[in-house]
Amino acid sequence: MAFCGLNLLNLSAVSAAPAAPNATDEARYAAMPTYSNKNNDLEMTVDNNGTHFRLWSPEAENAQVLIYTSDRNSAPVDTIDMVRSSGGTLTADSPKQLYGHFYTFRIKHNGKWLAETPGVWAKATGTNGERAAIIDFRLTDPIGWNDDKGPKLENYTDAVVYEMHHRDMSMHPSSGIVHKGKFLALTEHGTTTESGTSTGIDHLKELGITHVHILPSFDYNSVDESNLPANKYNWGYDPVNYNTPEGSYSTDPANPMARVAEMKRMIKALHDAGIGVIMDVVYNHTATNDDSNFSLTAPGYYYRHRADRSYSDASACGNETASEREQMRDFIVNSVKYWANEYHIDGFRFDLMAIHDIETMNIVAEELHKINPNIIIYGEGWTAGDSPLPVGQRALKENVAKMDGIAVFSDDIRDAVKGHFSDAADRGFATGKPGLEETIKIGIVASTAHPQVDYSKGNNSKFAYASSPEQIINYVSCHDDLCLTDKLAASMPNSTEAERIRAAKLAQTIVFTSQGTPFITAGEEVFRSKQGVHNSYCSPDSINAIDWTLKSKNAELFDYYRNLIALRKSHPAFRMTSAEDIAKNIRFDNTNIQNVVSYSILNNANGDSSKEIKVIFNGGDKPYTTRLKKGNWKILAEDGNIDPEGLRDFNGGSISIPPCSALILTR
Ligand code: CA
């Protein structure tokens, strides 16, 4: 499956001993000299003395640089032989500054010239990323770029993450956006539907999220950039050039300046709106195997293999990369550093992070936080298949305590709230399935150790794997699997839409009041449907594009989301930063009622103005009645309504929580 991006399997469970790799090849790779790209001088640099090429290819018998004046379909205007240099590299120089030109490399390996490649460090390319481009990056900077900064993030738990695909956000005619499907879509202010509700960047501001998480935006394979009128859609989990923006999101893929400049303009516009930008990165596999840029520069080296030398496949996409090897580790670390420095990226979401080793991820976090301590790093703490990398070295969810400054998605809370991700009909706590109360509690305490939480009753993980709430991303849905609207439709077959919207409110209220960092996927706030398509990675815009007329149709739900985010922002008690604080300040009530979880956050936790916040979730189909102590309570959420300023006062005593709803009070 070359163009997969499905990430459907959730194999965080520890499997049997992985297949041993080929010992001869491992010894050969380990003996290869390496060259760190910490100074950004690999492959191509321009200075006053001309243009310099340095390719890491330790086994190449010969290598050449081919220079072109156009991005494809033309003969080279020059071919320069490369000479062997230090650290496994080969070099070549041109006395001219070759701005405006394109280049490729080709190497001779085992007596054979391999196909041309733009290399692995191309930072600008022409159409379909075939040839690397030589451009002056300072000419791609928007006005004010030197002073551009993302939002300040004191703690990971202060972030509210909104995952989006460029086409989903803007392609629908109702978006009112001019640059549909482009980076520039989010630079347009004042866009509205016909009825006047805001869309695009204004919508994001109105909602109150702190960060957008953009689905893969580096150059990927599956959309033909030479035929954009075909309007092909793909999530983009099929990497080609890791250090170049995707051309189909630019207004002109043939112009290498356009994709760089336009992505920067998008980031600048979001930063100016106070919103950070998190990039989805997919270093775990490449779109192709023998034809990838990795394979054409250093055959074999960048990938893991089985003993029979076939590609191992923990990505379920045909191959997996080898982060434990020095040059690959250096590639990942310096690639994310490059995006942080050149594009001012505020965070990184690692696809199938457990394919990478723990040590690499720790270096990633350490190096990124040297550049900007506000950068947020999280990933999928699982693989999609078995790997030769030993389980103990994998950046798994269960190993996250060994990774300071890195968070993982909580599939525990995800599956407990709405039902199992792969079984459409399965219900969760918020839709009336009993027996998930303990996993909801695990979600509330962000998978940290708590004296009142029994991890043996958890649905997925059986121990407190997080050492801090800053290591947990809470969500009920993302681009993978059924979106929340469709999951509720599939699991509540005889329900009305009003009942499903009610369940959606309860589900997200659990996410947004839990410790950890909340995450939603675009369109949930307007009750967007993908017509029941659970893996829409290559579905057309008719499935994926968000119909923004839903925003006025479901205005009450949108307001609920907006107020839910405001509630979280106004109460630091929901955003604690240590496991100790959570254990000390959260006290669960022993209700022993199916589909009811009730707890208090005490002691003005994390500097909160409230002495106590009481949160009661009733996922059942009957009202739950309880007694609260006498006092000056203010009710913030009740029976599907929410207002961070307070809905009404309450003096204590008996109170009833209607079916499928949350009650939140403070005093
Ligand atoms: Ca592409």
Side-chain angles (χ1 to χ4, degrees):
M1 278 177 287
F3 308 145
C4 77
L6 32 96
N7 310 337
L8 290 173
L9 301 174
N10 189 356
L11 300 182
S12 60
V14 172
S15 59
N22 186 296
T24 313
D25 288 342
E26 288 302 315
R28 200 176 102 236
Y29 298 142
M32 287 181 187
T34 57
Y35 189 100
S36 173
N37 198 26
K38 60 177 190 267
N39 297 323
N40 253 317
D41 59 342
L42 272 179
E43 299 198 354
M44 193 280 295
T45 52
V46 182
D47 64 17
N48 290 336
N49 299 318
T51 306
H52 313 285
F53 299 93
R54 182 184 288 277
L55 179 69
W56 186 77
S57 185
E59 292 186 322
E61 291 139 23
N62 211 334
Q64 293 175 326
V65 185
L66 295 89
I67 308 292
Y68 296 91
T69 52
S70 67
D71 72 330
R72 61 202 180 103
N73 302 330
S74 63
V77 292
D78 197 6
T79 300
I80 315 173
D81 288 325
M82 304 188 83
V83 294
R84 182 54 71 187
S85 179
S86 61
T89 65
L90 300 114
T91 59
D93 297 282
S94 165
K96 289 181 259 177
Q97 293 187 330
L98 293 172
Y99 288 129
H101 289 73
F102 296 83
Y103 66 91
T104 61
F105 299 103
R106 71 174 168 208
I107 69 161
K108 198 175 187 184
H109 185 80
N110 288 339
K112 206 178 97 191
W113 284 100
L114 303 187
E116 288 173 56
T117 166
V120 302
W121 275 107
K123 290 164 182 155
T125 67
T127 310
N128 286 330
E130 288 175 30
R131 293 175 184 168
I134 305 172
I135 63 169
D136 182 348
F137 273 83
R138 297 292 63 82
L139 300 180
T140 65
D141 293 346
I143 294 162
W145 189 242
N146 282 342
D147 301 319
D148 172 72
K149 269 195 185 70
K152 194 163 166 53
L153 185 70
E154 294 284 349
N155 304 295
Y156 279 21
T157 50
D158 295 338
V160 176
V161 180
Y162 185 92
E163 178 198 51
M164 55 152 274
H165 184 283
H166 299 291
R167 291 182 79 92
D168 293 20
M169 284 300 283
S170 55
M171 282 309 289
H172 198 275
S174 63
S175 75
I177 288 171
V178 175
H179 294 99
K180 289 185 173 62
K182 305 294 180 188
F183 291 127
L184 292 181
L186 290 182
T187 66
E188 297 178 33
H189 289 275
T191 61
T192 66
T193 64
E194 251 176 47
S195 70
T197 48
S198 63
T199 60
I201 193 167
D202 290 356
H203 169 78
L204 297 174
K205 274 182 79 168
E206 189 184 359
L207 183 57
I209 53 106
T210 66
H211 289 70
V212 292
H213 154 163
I214 50 174
L215 259 63
S217 299
F218 51 78
D219 177 38
Y220 62 77
N221 193 45
S222 47
V223 172
D224 181 359
E225 299 175 11
S226 72
N227 186 19
L228 294 187
N231 267 322
K232 208 168 159 234
Y233 180 100
N234 204 281
W235 283 344
Y237 291 90
D238 52 339
V240 178
N241 291 295
Y242 283 101
N243 301 296
T244 307
E246 162 60 16
S248 65
Y249 298 142
S250 79
T251 56
D252 184 4
N255 171 6
M257 303 277 277
R259 60 180 76 193
V260 177
E262 291 171 9
M263 187 171 176
K264 285 180 175 176
R265 281 177 60 191
M266 175 197 77
I267 294 163
K268 176 80 166 60
L270 286 162
H271 284 174
D272 288 347
I275 297 169
V277 180
I278 296 167
M279 252 181 82
D280 198 331
V281 289
V282 191
Y283 296 104
N284 65 71
H285 75 279
T286 52
T288 56
N289 293 355
D290 293 349
D291 300 326
S292 76
N293 296 325
F294 283 144
S295 294
L296 294 174
T297 54
Y301 178 88
Y302 289 104
Y303 298 97
R304 297 188 189 126
H305 300 83
R306 304 186 185 98
D308 65 1
R309 292 187 160 155
S310 60
Y311 286 90
S312 57
D313 190 18
S315 70
C317 293
N319 61 68
E320 65 179 284
T321 56
S323 60
E324 71 281 14
R325 290 186 200 136
E326 193 175 333
Q327 194 70 22
M328 182 65 202
R329 175 176 291 163
D330 191 77
F331 179 81
I332 295 173
V333 169
N334 287 300
S335 180
V336 290
K337 281 172 69 179
Y338 173 72
W339 284 102
N341 283 320
E342 182 68 32
Y343 289 86
H344 305 176
I345 292 292
D346 305 284
F348 296 90
R349 175 267 190 196
F350 280 78
D351 186 61
L352 298 178
M353 185 169 72
I355 292 179
H356 305 317
D357 66 296
I358 291 169
E359 191 181 340
T360 297
M361 290 311 303
N362 280 331
I363 298 170
V364 161
E366 196 182 326
E367 290 293 317
L368 284 174
H369 288 149
K370 276 188 213 164
I371 296 171
N372 177 359
N374 295 316
I375 288 175
I376 182 167
I377 304 150
Y378 55 92
E380 292 181 304
W382 46 75
T383 66
D386 202 4
S387 169
L389 185 72
V391 168
Q393 291 175 34
R394 296 181 197 170
L396 281 167
K397 184 181 83 161
E398 288 84 353
N399 290 332
V400 75
K402 296 175 192 159
M403 295 185 279
D404 199 23
I406 292 174
V408 290
F409 286 98
S410 170
D411 56 347
D412 310 79
I413 195 170
R414 180 195 70 196
D415 292 351
V417 169
K418 68 164 188 191
H420 197 266
F421 75 99
S422 69
D423 177 0
D426 188 42
R427 291 199 185 193
F429 174 90
T431 42
K433 186 176 176 181
L436 293 161
E437 298 79 14
E438 207 66 20
T439 312
I440 295 299
K441 288 163 70 179
I442 289 172
I444 290 164
V445 301
S447 298
T448 60
H450 188 284
Q452 288 177 287
V453 179
D454 180 358
Y455 277 82
S456 72
K457 294 180 187 157
N459 60 352
N460 289 344
S461 293
K462 303 292 186 190
F463 70 102
Y465 55 85
S467 61
S468 151
E470 300 209 85
Q471 295 192 309
I472 294 296
I473 303 287
N474 290 315
Y475 70 128
V476 285
S477 64
C478 65
H479 65 278
D480 280 321
D481 313 319
L482 291 176
C483 65
L484 183 58
T485 306
D486 293 346
K487 171 68 175 173
L488 294 171
S491 59
M492 300 169 70
N494 299 314
S495 59
T496 63
E497 186 171 72
E499 286 165 340
R500 296 193 295 276
I501 284 180
R502 190 175 171 86
K505 288 178 180 174
L506 174 59
Q508 296 290 12
T509 306
I510 299 171
V511 167
F512 275 82
T513 50
S514 289
Q515 304 298 318
T517 303
F519 169 109
I520 59 172
T521 195
E524 288 182 338
E525 73 280 18
V526 299
F527 217 51
R528 162 245 198 133
S529 164
K530 290 199 274 185
Q531 322 303 331
V533 178
H534 71 97
N535 183 14
S536 66
Y537 77 100
C538 67
S539 298
D541 292 322
S542 57
I543 298 294
N544 281 303
I546 299 167
D547 174 358
W548 292 104
T549 63
L550 290 170
K551 187 175 169 183
S552 47
K553 177 173 175 271
N554 298 314
E556 198 228 329
L557 180 69
F558 174 72
D559 279 343
Y560 191 93
Y561 270 84
R562 201 168 48 74
N563 280 314
L564 189 57
I565 292 170
L567 172 73
R568 183 177 172 86
K569 283 180 168 176
S570 63
H571 283 284
F574 297 124
R575 299 180 270 123
M576 284 185 263
T577 59
S578 78
E580 295 71 27
D581 275 0
I582 292 173
K584 191 177 72 190
N585 297 325
I586 288 189
R587 194 177 67 214
F588 290 98
D589 304 309
N590 294 317
T591 61
N592 284 323
I593 309 270
Q594 281 188 347
N595 278 107
V596 170
V597 169
S598 173
Y599 70 101
S600 290
I601 314 179
L602 301 163
N603 313 321
N604 301 90
N606 201 26
D608 205 285
S609 57
S610 301
K611 259 190 302 194
E612 178 175 5
I613 301 178
K614 172 70 78 181
V615 182
I616 306 175
F617 302 127
N618 180 8
D621 56 7
K622 291 182 210 58
Y624 166 65
T625 302
T626 188
R627 291 192 69 79
L628 296 182
K629 70 178 85 162
K630 295 284 173 202
N632 297 320
W633 294 96
K634 191 190 276 182
I635 295 180
L636 309 183
E638 183 178 37
D639 195 20
N641 300 303
I642 188 167
D643 184 347
E645 304 294 322
L647 292 163
R648 68 182 176 98
D649 293 334
F650 177 65
N651 295 322
S654 180
I655 190 163
S656 183
I657 298 97
C660 192
S661 74
L663 176 71
I664 303 173
L665 321 82
T666 59
R667 65 174 188 97

